[in-house]
Amino acid sequence: MKEQGSGKETAAPKLTRKKLEALLSAEFPQMFDPERGYAIERVWLGGCRLRRHFHPKSLRPGGTVSGPIIMALADVAMYVAVLSAIGWVPLAVTTNLTINFLRKPAPRDLLAEAKLLKLGKRLAVGEVGIRSVGGDELVAHATLTYSIPTAAKR
Amino acid sequence: MKEQGSGKETAAPKLTRKKLEALLSAEFPQMFDPERGYAIERVWLGGCRLRRHFHPKSLRPGGTVSGPIIMALADVAMYVAVLSAIGWVPLAVTTNLTINFLRKPAPRDLLAEAKLLKLGKRLAVGEVGIRSVGGDELVAHATLTYSIPTAAKR
Amino acid sequence: MKEQGSGKETAAPKLTRKKLEALLSAEFPQMFDPERGYAIERVWLGGCRLRRHFHPKSLRPGGTVSGPIIMALADVAMYVAVLSAIGWVPLAVTTNLTINFLRKPAPRDLLAEAKLLKLGKRLAVGEVGIRSVGGDELVAHATLTYSIPTAAKR
Amino acid sequence: MKEQGSGKETAAPKLTRKKLEALLSAEFPQMFDPERGYAIERVWLGGCRLRRHFHPKSLRPGGTVSGPIIMALADVAMYVAVLSAIGWVPLAVTTNLTINFLRKPAPRDLLAEAKLLKLGKRLAVGEVGIRSVGGDELVAHATLTYSIPTAAKR
């Protein structure tokens, strides 16, 4: 991946979709709840696509998905992208998140696509675009920074 | 309030704490759930203080309150500050949120203090500082922009 | 452009590169200074590419281009993208800018590519990726919001 | 300082205003140019106040100080606040800056007040409020993260 910024480039993510799902669901038991949780759709070198199942309780006035649901999706998508690139370091934490809400999401599942812009030793920076399933336009766009613990074996 | 940017200054918020709680709990029935919801502690001209009750399910690896819980708190605190200043306009929506996570929050209630930096006709900008109850230091700091629908009667 | 969010889509920007250069250089006489100013390389529907000429005075300790130079470039690139999409509204102003500095830029010209994520009536949101000439990797990534004056004839 | 987050607290900044001016003007010869440069007004534990001298060339359409001038001021104010707290580490660099432009600045000097929100070993986070001289209201508000090189002797 051109934008990875690490010296040695590898041809595949360190953790596959299957492996990530197994590790994450052990750590966060409700993460993949089929009714209101997430599903990892794809993982590739430097990014991933995550789905958030729609649940009527996520609605806010105006019949739209609430902002915090969208922010959580952006955060989790970046977390998955970072872990897939560096391996299982669950204590990687968000240090900064900026999100622009662009359009009202439809009352449907949401898809988030995360892309690493930089993967350094201490910090990973990425962007996440979020769409409603079946929609072309972004409903939100976020940039995030994750801090990677130094003790992390990589 | 000096920083309000509107021509005419008033001596009190347009909506009191009691009134806000009544309107918000009609719109968001679980918002003030005493086990894992919010409580409005104070409302003043240009700001408010909000409490988020701690619930063990909010924890993430490392024993700390999860990022999305903190982002939601920042968003809701700014929402309350905006509504208290402009009156009941529930369709006011976040357009931008930037948050810096500064320290690990303790497994305790969180307190958010929101302060409007600008209250224009179309946009309100504010900052929110978040602490653990009993702690001096910020665990997170956010700045937010809300868009105010033009049809809003003010 | 799919992401424009306006109802009617047009096949071309409202202002061409030539026209923008003429209008901008009348308003900002030193903007296109060949020694340390900008050059508009391309304008398309929903975006543009801008070059910032390298000047030794832009360096900061460590032999790298200074942050403010890069922030100014992001801001001007978004300004050009907005004006090309909405027509000549020079009073459009930045309301929010978030930038992540990713890598040290080389002591060379910089290229900024701006892309509108949303073009509404009151707000335009976009992202800008910045590279050193001849480099693949981003040296910085910014997201910006511009406020469009309501009186603007469009 | 309560918000410093470092274990050992000291009673004074590591670098005084005088010392900072001497070191910075050696590194950036035009930084304190009395016609269009900066002046450090005060330095305290965890913050500083910086003045930017007004120069007619800083104006943009509408007779207001340009955005890049204000962003540069926010960046330099945070740089001074960080260096005063950690000592002379000129290679400390901005990794993230978010700025909200709140009101049109008057054609006058600008004052920036920087305050550290967190001073960690690797990252410093702070906020900067910017006013026109003689004005009460903020014209801009920024939050910034600086990365501190690990080799820095502290």
Side-chain angles (χ1 to χ4, degrees):
Chain A
M1 187 186 58
K2 279 179 192 164
E3 287 173 355
Q4 213 165 3
S6 66
K8 40 177 177 173
E9 315 266 326
T10 52
K14 290 205 179 173
L15 293 173
T16 63
R17 188 179 69 78
K18 288 265 174 199
K19 188 74 183 157
L20 275 164
E21 274 181 358
L23 289 163
L24 287 166
S25 60
E27 195 82 38
F28 307 89
Q30 289 156 341
M31 182 166 170
F32 299 109
D33 177 326
E35 251 197 70
R36 51 193 309 176
Y38 302 94
I40 303 177
E41 299 224 323
R42 264 190 68 207
V43 170
W44 59 88
L45 197 56
C48 70
R49 190 166 67 234
L50 212 71
R51 176 186 290 257
R52 162 87 196 206
H53 300 300
F54 174 71
H55 190 280
K57 281 207 180 162
S58 311
L59 292 180
R60 55 155 283 166
T64 184
V65 180
S66 79
I69 294 286
I70 297 172
M71 293 191 280
L73 173 57
D75 192 39
V76 175
M78 178 68 180
Y79 189 55
V80 170
V82 169
L83 295 185
S84 74
I86 67 172
W88 184 243
V89 186
L91 292 181
V93 292
T94 317
T95 56
N96 177 272
L97 176 147
T98 293
I99 189 163
N100 285 289
F101 295 95
L102 303 169
R103 296 175 185 87
K104 290 195 182 190
R108 287 203 297 273
D109 286 6
L110 290 169
L111 291 176
E113 207 161 298
K115 180 184 156 191
L116 298 183
L117 300 174
K118 176 188 173 168
L119 181 55
K121 279 179 196 168
R122 312 193 315 181
L123 294 178
V125 182
E127 65 175 326
V128 181
I130 295 176
R131 291 174 168 76
S132 294
V133 164
D136 279 334
E137 302 189 313
L138 288 177
V139 303
H141 178 276
T143 53
L144 299 95
T145 302
Y146 263 74
S147 175
I148 302 167
T150 37
K153 280 177 199 166
R154 297 169 58 188
Chain B
M1 186 184 60
K2 278 180 194 164
E3 288 174 356
Q4 211 165 6
S6 67
K8 43 178 175 168
E9 314 267 326
T10 51
K14 289 205 180 173
L15 292 173
T16 61
R17 188 180 70 77
K18 288 264 174 198
K19 187 75 183 157
L20 275 164
E21 274 181 357
L23 289 163
L24 287 166
S25 61
E27 196 83 36
F28 307 90
Q30 289 156 341
M31 182 165 169
F32 299 109
D33 178 324
E35 253 198 67
R36 53 195 304 178
Y38 302 95
I40 304 178
E41 299 225 322
R42 264 188 70 204
V43 170
W44 59 88
L45 197 57
C48 70
R49 189 168 67 231
L50 212 70
R51 176 187 290 254
R52 163 88 195 204
H53 299 301
F54 174 71
H55 190 281
K57 282 206 179 163
S58 311
L59 291 181
R60 58 155 282 166
T64 183
V65 179
S66 79
I69 293 285
I70 296 171
M71 293 191 278
L73 173 57
D75 192 39
V76 175
M78 178 68 180
Y79 189 55
V80 169
V82 169
L83 295 185
S84 74
I86 68 173
W88 184 243
V89 186
L91 293 180
V93 292
T94 316
T95 58
N96 176 272
L97 177 147
T98 293
I99 189 164
N100 285 290
F101 295 95
L102 303 170
R103 297 177 184 85
K104 291 197 183 189
R108 288 203 295 273
D109 288 6
L110 290 169
L111 291 175
E113 207 160 300
K115 180 184 156 191
L116 298 183
L117 300 173
K118 175 188 173 170
L119 180 56
K121 280 180 194 167
R122 312 191 316 181
L123 294 177
V125 182
E127 66 176 324
V128 181
I130 295 177
R131 290 175 169 79
S132 294
V133 165
D136 278 334
E137 301 188 314
L138 288 177
V139 302
H141 177 276
T143 53
L144 300 95
T145 302
Y146 264 74
S147 175
I148 303 167
T150 38
K153 282 178 196 163
R154 295 168 61 188
Chain C
M1 186 185 59
K2 277 180 195 164
E3 288 175 355
Q4 212 164 5
S6 68
K8 41 176 178 173
E9 315 267 326
T10 52
K14 289 204 178 174
L15 293 173
T16 61
R17 189 179 70 78
K18 287 266 173 198
K19 187 73 184 158
L20 274 164
E21 275 182 358
L23 289 163
L24 287 166
S25 61
E27 196 82 37
F28 306 90
Q30 289 156 342
M31 181 165 169
F32 299 109
D33 178 323
E35 252 198 69
R36 52 193 306 178
Y38 303 94
I40 303 178
E41 298 225 323
R42 264 191 68 206
V43 170
W44 58 88
L45 197 57
C48 69
R49 189 166 66 233
L50 212 71
R51 177 186 289 257
R52 163 87 196 205
H53 300 300
F54 174 72
H55 190 282
K57 281 206 178 164
S58 312
L59 291 181
R60 56 154 282 166
T64 184
V65 179
S66 80
I69 294 285
I70 296 172
M71 294 191 278
L73 173 58
D75 192 39
V76 174
M78 178 68 180
Y79 189 56
V80 169
V82 169
L83 295 185
S84 74
I86 67 173
W88 183 244
V89 186
L91 292 182
V93 292
T94 315
T95 57
N96 177 271
L97 176 147
T98 293
I99 188 163
N100 285 289
F101 295 95
L102 304 170
R103 297 176 184 85
K104 291 197 181 190
R108 289 204 294 274
D109 287 6
L110 290 168
L111 290 176
E113 206 160 299
K115 179 184 156 192
L116 298 182
L117 300 174
K118 175 187 174 170
L119 180 56
K121 280 179 194 166
R122 312 192 315 182
L123 294 178
V125 182
E127 64 175 326
V128 181
I130 296 177
R131 289 174 170 79
S132 294
V133 164
D136 279 332
E137 303 190 312
L138 288 176
V139 301
H141 177 276
T143 53
L144 299 95
T145 302
Y146 264 74
S147 176
I148 303 167
T150 38
K153 279 178 201 166
R154 296 167 62 188
Chain D
M1 186 186 56
K2 278 180 195 162
E3 288 174 356
Q4 213 164 2
S6 67
K8 43 180 176 171
E9 316 266 327
T10 51
K14 289 204 179 172
L15 293 173
T16 62
R17 189 179 70 78
K18 288 265 174 201
K19 187 74 183 156
L20 276 163
E21 274 182 358
L23 289 163
L24 288 166
S25 62
E27 196 81 37
F28 307 91
Q30 288 155 341
M31 183 166 168
F32 299 109
D33 177 324
E35 252 197 69
R36 50 193 310 177
Y38 302 94
I40 303 177
E41 298 225 323
R42 264 189 68 207
V43 170
W44 59 89
L45 195 57
C48 69
R49 190 165 67 231
L50 212 70
R51 176 186 291 256
R52 164 86 196 206
H53 299 301
F54 174 72
H55 190 282
K57 282 205 179 164
S58 311
L59 291 181
R60 57 155 280 166
T64 185
V65 179
S66 79
I69 293 286
I70 296 171
M71 293 191 279
L73 172 57
D75 193 39
V76 175
M78 178 68 180
Y79 189 55
V80 170
V82 169
L83 295 185
S84 73
I86 67 173
W88 183 244
V89 186
L91 291 181
V93 291
T94 315
T95 57
N96 175 272
L97 176 147
T98 294
I99 189 164
N100 285 289
F101 294 96
L102 303 170
R103 299 177 182 85
K104 290 195 183 190
R108 289 204 293 274
D109 286 7
L110 289 168
L111 290 177
E113 207 161 298
K115 179 184 154 191
L116 298 184
L117 299 174
K118 175 186 172 171
L119 180 55
K121 279 179 194 168
R122 312 192 315 181
L123 295 177
V125 181
E127 65 176 326
V128 181
I130 296 177
R131 292 175 167 78
S132 295
V133 165
D136 278 333
E137 301 189 314
L138 288 177
V139 303
H141 177 275
T143 53
L144 299 95
T145 302
Y146 264 72
S147 176
I148 304 168
T150 38
K153 280 179 200 164
R154 298 167 60 189

